[in-house]
Amino acid sequence: MDTLKVRDAKDVEEVVRAAIANEQPLEIIGHGSKRGIGHAMATNAVLDLSALNAVTAYEPNELIVTLQAGAPLADVLSLIDAKNQQFAFEPMNTAPLLGTPALGTIGGMIAAGLAGPRRIRAGGARDHLLGAHAVSGFGDSFKTGGKVVKNVTGYDLCKLLAGSWGTLSVMTEVTLKVMPKPEAERTLLLRGLDDAVANKAMTAALGSPFDVSGAAHLPKSAFLAGTDGLGDLAGQGEPLTVLRLEGITASAAHRADSLRELLAPFGTATLIEDAASAALWATVRDVLPFAAGGALGGWPVWRIVCPPASGAAIGTLLARETGGDVIYDWGGGLIWAALPPKDDAHAPAVRMRANAVGGHATLIRAAEDVRRDVDVFHPQASGIAALSERVRASFDPKTVLNRGRLSRGAVA
Ligand SMILES: Cc1cc2nc3c(=O)[nH]c(=O)nc-3n(C[C@H](O)[C@H](O)[C@H](O)COP(=O)(O)OP(=O)(O)OC[C@H]3O[C@@H](n4cnc5c(N)ncnc54)[C@H](O)[C@@H]3O)c2cc1C
């Protein structure tokens, strides 16, 4: 396997042009922390972006940071945290779930587009990407908002690059919006609700005027030994419905009181604050109950996006049918499902349930032989698939970038 470690955008152009000339597809990696997601690729050349790791510009007063794509996410989070700022979309750290040592790079964060619990209020990764420099599958550099390769003019490139899993272009530099960290956070805890009632409680909270920035439900089984971040909460052994409020201290406290009153029909809510609350939401964001090193570490894990009102019904059925376990985020709109090992990872059941409500499911964790036989990303309807392919081909006509990552049909 050739690894081509590039130093700048010019190097990337050269590597991509050589790949086109040699008809040799490239696997694009930052730290390779998300290599386990998607289909294994039949490439034998790796384009390694990890040396493009500089912070180009950080202007805290302007709420903007410009970074080379290989900048380590951990370092960037520390950098902006020192100025009391954050990425509002709350990027998830896939390392515990996938069992990888590295947290990953900024490029990988954008390419995967995996936003955390605050997505329901702050939007997804794509909404915080202000601009990018990238190299297309033609081997040409382009940037959003300015000079654009003629073949790809007309698209909202930031919206496309987030979630493209490296199939459209090689990002070399990105500009992201940062936001001030809230002064305080308060999380209300409701205990002992079943999934359906918890779904209703989350819907009530999200429909309230109290600006809820996280709504999740952890069933009893999420408290199996080995889950970090739950602290004393783990000892209680009851399902936990959690609702987060953020902002200036007086406002967060006041809204927590009002929300507690609103939720009284669902039980008496208790409160955790600041550090304990942050640890709990990191546990939800990174799906720590299903961590690779935990009790369910050997089980495949699905990420199912569906209308929030359908969440409990789908999650309950899947858990019952398969003997698996589920965690709900986004008020029920995001279901993490860890299902007992099976050759097809229970794909027909998962896809049937997701399709029934117009949702979709991605197999985030599974052994390579399972990912060879099962579609990792949700199969698209034929019209959408044809459109996606036209978009992809307009960026990378020779399919030299991450060929086969998204679809089982594409072989190197
Ligand atoms: C050329 C190309 C082809 C692709 N083919 C496929 C494919 O066949 N199957 C596939 O699953 N993925 C495919 N993807 C990947 C898909 O586009 C990404 O998974 C998605 O963009 C994830 O990024 P996100 O920022 O939207 O993630 P998130 O914002 O976290 O959203 C996760 C998913 O939820 C969906 N979503 C977000 N908000 C809503 C909402 N309000 N209502 C309904 N759905 C919502 C998004 O479409 C997204 O897929 C393809 C990408 C490209 C570039």
Side-chain angles (χ1 to χ4, degrees), residues 113 119 126 163-164 303 305 330 360 377-378 380 388 406:
R119 189 193 195 292
R126 62 162 66 91
S164 63
R303 180 179 186 271
V305 179
W330 300 356
H360 54 88
F377 294 92
H378 204 82
Q380 293 176 320
S388 287
L406 284 174

Side-chain angles (χ1 to χ4, degrees), residues 137-323:
F138 292 89
D140 295 331
S141 288
F142 67 91
K143 60 174 181 163
T144 60
K147 180 174 156 273
V148 184
V149 201
K150 76 173 183 314
N151 311 65
V152 296
T153 306
Y155 297 118
D156 182 342
L157 298 180
C158 287
K159 295 282 189 289
L160 277 173
L161 293 178
S164 63
W165 294 97
T167 59
L168 300 181
S169 68
V170 185
M171 282 177 272
T172 52
E173 187 176 277
V174 294
T175 298
L176 287 152
K177 216 190 289 185
V178 291
M179 296 298 278
K181 289 184 102 170
E183 183 182 285
E185 62 175 271
R186 299 279 181 274
T187 294
L188 291 181
L189 313 171
L190 285 165
R191 292 185 192 281
L193 306 186
D194 70 23
D195 294 10
V197 177
N199 207 167
K200 289 202 173 82
M202 291 190 285
T203 305
L206 290 170
S208 77
F210 307 128
D211 211 5
V212 171
S213 71
H217 179 66
L218 302 169
K220 192 160 69 182
S221 46
F223 298 95
L224 293 168
T227 298
D228 291 333
L230 292 175
D232 294 345
L233 303 173
Q236 314 267 340
E238 273 182 311
L240 198 60
T241 313
V242 294
L243 303 146
R244 180 176 61 184
L245 301 145
E246 297 173 291
I248 53 173
T249 309
S251 162
H254 176 70
R255 285 180 287 128
D257 286 344
S258 305
L259 185 60
R260 186 190 271 129
E261 269 175 47
L262 180 92
L263 294 174
F266 298 98
T268 305
T270 54
L271 192 70
I272 56 171
E273 301 184 0
D274 301 328
S277 170
L280 171 64
W281 285 99
T283 301
V284 173
R285 180 195 68 202
D286 299 339
V287 209
L288 295 187
F290 300 162
L296 302 183
W299 289 18
V301 173
W302 290 87
R303 180 179 186 271
I304 305 165
V305 179
C306 66
S310 310
I314 294 179
T316 308
L317 276 168
L318 269 181
R320 192 185 305 147
E321 283 168 0
T322 64

